[in-house]
Amino acid sequence: MSHKPYLSLGDAIKAFLDKHGLKEEVDIQSIIRDWESLMGAPIAQNTEKMWFNKGIMYIRMSSPIWKNELHLARTKIKEMINKRVGQDLVQDVRIL
């Protein structure tokens, strides 16, 4: 009789997400959910909308000042998010 190795709950969930192609969506939702802790309250309060499409992260800002600031920090934002999720989720950041 063979015994199957036991997985932790976290490993089982990760395997399920990977198998069904859901890991990327979970990572995207975690970035949106944690936006304020990632970028700080002033930026989060001036973010109107965020969405992802085919590796591009779109961020719509309510203030032209913050729009300019984030535009200058696009590469840093991309690197920070990719490091946070442990993969190259974001290929480009576009500030609107």
Side-chain angles (χ1 to χ4, degrees), residues 9-74:
L9 180 58
D11 289 342
I13 292 170
K14 184 179 182 302
F16 175 83
L17 293 174
D18 288 343
K19 180 178 179 181
H20 296 285
L22 299 171
K23 182 175 180 344
E24 184 174 305
E25 185 60 34
V26 169
D27 288 340
I28 288 169
Q29 292 305 315
S30 74
I31 294 304
I32 292 170
R33 181 192 66 229
D34 298 337
W35 185 243
E36 184 172 349
S37 67
L38 288 168
M39 300 301 294
I43 292 174
Q45 291 168 356
N46 285 283
T47 301
E48 289 183 351
K49 186 175 181 181
M50 292 174 35
W51 69 96
F52 290 77
N53 187 20
K54 299 179 182 176
I56 301 173
M57 178 181 186
Y58 296 89
I59 307 167
R60 179 173 293 140
M61 301 302 292
S62 61
S63 162
I65 294 168
W66 282 113
K67 180 179 176 179
N68 187 55
E69 288 294 320
L70 263 63
H71 181 75
L72 296 172
R74 287 183 340 237

